Amino acid sequence: MKWIKELFSVTTPVYIEIRGREAVLAEGYCKIETYSETYIRLANSENRFAVCGSGLKLRHLSESAVAVDGRIDRIEFV
């Protein structure tokens, strides 16, 4: 279980790339807190970030990066 603690103690800077209204790439986020077709909330040890829209889906998921596709209406820091 040590690797879980290390995963959530990420201190790397957060990088968010928004590609028009169709895609978001978030690096440095490692936990999905909420997932639906209209709202995806991501978190790391210090930040929360949400993508709001319609038809949202995960295109890529790894330990430190998440890519979301769909109609992006807004981005929130929560």
Side-chain angles (χ1 to χ4, degrees), residues 6 14-15 28 36 44 50 68 70:
E6 290 173 2
V14 174
Y15 172 79
S36 74
N44 67 12
V68 177

Side-chain angles (χ1 to χ4, degrees), residues 14-33:
V14 174
Y15 172 79
I16 300 169
E17 181 178 315
I18 302 168
R19 298 179 186 162
R21 296 183 73 99
E22 294 82 32
V24 172
L25 172 65
E27 294 180 358
Y29 285 91
C30 51
K31 179 181 176 187
I32 299 172
E33 291 189 329

Side-chain angles (χ1 to χ4, degrees), residues 12-72:
T12 58
V14 174
Y15 172 79
I16 300 169
E17 181 178 315
I18 302 168
R19 298 179 186 162
R21 296 183 73 99
E22 294 82 32
V24 172
L25 172 65
E27 294 180 358
Y29 285 91
C30 51
K31 179 181 176 187
I32 299 172
E33 291 189 329
T34 305
Y35 181 84
S36 74
E37 289 186 7
T38 59
Y39 187 83
I40 298 175
R41 185 171 63 203
L42 309 168
N44 67 12
S45 61
E46 300 174 9
N47 302 290
R48 283 186 172 75
F49 163 73
V51 179
C52 307
S54 58
L56 301 178
K57 57 188 169 200
L58 293 178
R59 180 173 45 89
H60 172 80
L61 175 63
S62 70
E63 290 180 357
S64 62
V66 176
V68 177
D69 285 345
R71 170 70 181 182
I72 311 297

